[in-house]
Amino acid sequence: MRLAELSAESGVAVATLKYYLREGLLHPGRSLSRTTAEYDATHVDRVRLVRALSEVGGLSLATIEQVLEVITEPGTDRLHVLEAAQRTLARTASRTGDGTEGGSTQRVRDWIERHGWEIDPMDPFIDDLARAWDACDHAALGLDEDRMDRYAEHVEGIAEVDVSTVPADPEAAVRHVVLGTLLVDPVLVALRRLAQQHVSRRTERVGP
């Protein structure tokens, strides 16, 4: 298909497709002449992927480029593919901390150890959890370790579903983990809101 046909198939304007090509977000088509190229289904898939990362995942184009690099060059070691995907997510996440560790970070490390989770001790998401937990403390939400344990029990179940659906092929696995995390996170947030409404109404109907 020509560029105009790719535009019609993907729902993305020709000008935007040209921008994707210039920035390397879309791989070049097969050259037919100096000014004409032919595109195929792989280009349609890539355009839809970029749109999903941008519109659903909320990533900037610069960040999308980093994600695409990991998807297209994930390496071959299946044992470390999940870690590679998580490192990509860590690079794409917005972090506002100063990079220093405090008592709250140690609290998270101690909680993880007590909970029995096998986690890289230098994982940047530990700092994210520490900051989020601190914010809950400052808001007096009562998020103590007992409540964290209860959350963790259910989140671990979600993680088991996630990991069980990861493809065996390393490249497909990185793509699945990165995109699955970015695009399924909003689904989980919406499900939590709906579940809260359901439980609240059920509790009110049953009464004390």
Side-chain angles (χ1 to χ4, degrees), residues 136-152:
C136 290
D137 286 345
H138 294 156
L141 292 180
L143 183 55
D144 57 16
E145 292 197 8
D146 178 67
R147 186 173 167 188
M148 283 286 288
D149 288 343
R150 294 166 64 191
Y151 279 145

Side-chain angles (χ1 to χ4, degrees), residues 3 15 45 65 73 76 78 86 92 100 102 108 118 120 130 136 143 149 158 160-161 175 203 205-206:
L3 195 61
D45 289 342
E65 185 176 2
E73 298 181 12
T76 58
R78 177 66 174 84
Q86 288 291 347
T92 62
T100 60
V108 170
E118 299 181 23
D120 179 350
C136 290
L143 183 55
D149 288 343
I158 293 173
E160 288 175 352
V161 174
R175 184 180 190 279
T203 303
R205 185 171 60 253
V206 173

Side-chain angles (χ1 to χ4, degrees), residues 8-188:
E9 180 72 17
S10 64
V12 175
V14 170
T16 301
L17 294 176
K18 290 181 177 178
Y19 176 77
Y20 288 172
L21 288 165
R22 287 197 304 270
E23 295 298 314
L25 298 173
L26 181 63
H27 48 292
R30 184 172 67 90
S31 179
L32 299 177
S33 68
R34 189 175 63 84
T35 58
T36 306
E38 184 178 57
Y39 304 90
D40 57 26
T42 64
H43 294 87
V44 177
D45 289 342
R46 175 56 61 86
V47 172
R48 289 174 176 169
L49 172 58
V50 171
R51 290 188 67 187
L53 291 172
S54 175
E55 297 174 8
V56 181
L59 302 183
S60 68
L61 292 181
T63 299
I64 290 173
E65 185 176 2
Q66 295 176 1
V67 173
L68 294 178
E69 288 177 359
V70 174
I71 291 174
T72 55
E73 298 181 12
T76 58
D77 189 347
R78 177 66 174 84
L79 294 177
H80 299 294
V81 69
L82 295 180
E83 287 84 350
Q86 288 291 347
R87 284 196 296 273
T88 300
L89 295 172
R91 288 201 305 270
T92 62
S94 174
R95 306 185 185 280
T96 58
D98 58 8
T100 60
E101 292 190 6
S104 59
T105 298
Q106 188 58 47
R107 174 176 64 167
V108 170
R109 295 186 190 280
D110 292 342
W111 175 82
I112 289 173
E113 182 177 0
R114 183 178 61 77
H115 199 71
W117 278 5
E118 299 181 23
I119 303 293
D120 179 350
M122 301 307 295
D123 193 302
F125 288 109
I126 292 175
D127 294 329
D128 285 358
L129 179 56
R131 284 192 290 271
W133 199 347
D134 283 347
C136 290
D137 286 345
H138 294 156
L141 292 180
L143 183 55
D144 57 16
E145 292 197 8
D146 178 67
R147 186 173 167 188
M148 283 286 288
D149 288 343
R150 294 166 64 191
Y151 279 145
E153 179 182 353
H154 294 285
V155 171
E156 189 168 343
I158 293 173
E160 288 175 352
V161 174
D162 290 339
V163 174
S164 70
T165 60
V166 174
D169 175 70
E171 179 174 344
V174 171
R175 184 180 190 279
H176 182 93
V177 172
V178 173
L179 299 185
T181 300
L182 290 172
L183 303 182
V184 175
D185 274 0
V187 173
L188 297 177

